[in-house]
Amino acid sequence: MKILCIGRNYAEHIAELNNERPSEPVVFIKPDTAILKDNEAFYHPDFSKDIHHEVEIVLKINKMGKNIEAKFANKYYEEIGIGIDFTARDIQAKLKEKGLPWEKAKAFNGSAPISGFVSKTEFPDLKNLNFHLEIDGETRQTGNTSMMLWNFDEIIAEISKYFTLKTGDLIFTGTPAGVGKVKIGNKLSAFIEGKEMLSFEIK
């Protein structure tokens, strides 16, 4: 399986990092070695002094498809969850300055903690879905999918032009504003519509 991620999908997050607003979705990939499951601890890597949290709704692909039209995209996922796209911001900044790929900053071991997945039918409107991240009990990021530049179906349509989607693939759909640094000892908890889905420590 593979992890496909969408960058710059919330306008306020684009603004907080002083990034250019894209004309089409920004796509990058993480390997399966990035995944952390079952609330496993995240071990802060030695190679970065500025690891940022980015909370995101995650889609789980349930059948193979490519060149999927947006109007049919909803048939390609039945479950959603929540995850963290950990980013080594100091390394990313250096790579971006040189016009180099971001993988070292985005795709390192453990950089994609994910929750369990629940049926999308549990939520009445996927285009108006609230989610948030707490660190040590304090809310740090709050998002709603209505704020996305590209919704779930549009994301699937775009990605599937270039990459064949397979059963079990995960799509991270972008992070809202409020990203920031984590440190050893923090406890991160992520919620969808007020329900805690993911909770783990930084070690």
Side-chain angles (χ1 to χ4, degrees), residues 7 28 44 64 87 112 142 146 153-154 164 170 191 193 201:
F28 60 95
H44 197 295
M64 184 181 288
T87 304
T142 301
S146 66
D153 294 344
E154 292 166 335
T164 297
L170 303 178
F191 301 76
E193 291 294 355
E201 292 184 16

Side-chain angles (χ1 to χ4, degrees), residues 36 50 60 105 112 121-122 125 149:
L36 284 181
D50 195 20
K60 188 175 186 179
T121 59
E122 290 192 17
D125 186 0
L149 302 184

Side-chain angles (χ1 to χ4, degrees), residues 45-186:
D46 294 335
F47 55 71
S48 174
K49 293 180 170 52
D50 195 20
I51 299 289
H52 279 208
H53 57 79
E54 299 188 7
V55 69
E56 313 196 10
I57 297 295
V58 182
L59 311 180
K60 188 175 186 179
I61 297 300
N62 68 336
K63 64 178 180 178
M64 184 181 288
K66 62 181 178 179
N67 295 315
I68 300 162
E69 292 183 52
K71 64 183 178 182
F72 299 124
N74 66 318
K75 298 182 179 185
Y76 287 83
Y77 68 100
E78 296 294 338
E79 296 178 301
I80 68 169
I82 198 163
I84 309 294
D85 167 21
F86 276 128
T87 304
R89 195 70 73 199
D90 46 357
I91 293 176
Q92 186 187 39
K94 291 177 184 176
L95 293 168
K96 285 169 69 176
E97 281 176 12
K98 297 177 181 178
L100 297 173
W102 299 350
E103 273 76 7
K104 283 185 178 179
K106 284 281 194 180
F108 55 87
N109 291 336
S111 61
I114 56 170
S115 70
F117 289 82
V118 295
S119 173
K120 66 183 183 182
T121 59
E122 290 192 17
F123 308 101
D125 186 0
L126 294 177
K127 293 181 180 178
N128 184 25
L129 195 64
N130 294 296
F131 62 103
H132 75 277
L133 175 72
E134 295 180 4
I135 298 182
D136 300 331
E138 178 186 340
T139 299
R140 295 289 183 88
Q141 283 186 272
T142 301
N144 183 287
T145 53
S146 66
M147 301 160 62
M148 287 178 158
L149 302 184
W150 292 278
N151 64 37
F152 295 161
D153 294 344
E154 292 166 335
I155 288 169
I156 288 173
E158 177 69 14
I159 286 176
S160 69
K161 289 180 191 175
Y162 305 95
F163 308 102
T164 297
L165 295 175
K166 293 186 174 182
T167 302
D169 285 352
L170 303 178
I171 299 177
F172 277 63
T173 59
T175 196
V179 303
K181 186 175 181 177
V182 297
K183 60 185 179 181
I184 293 170
N186 284 155

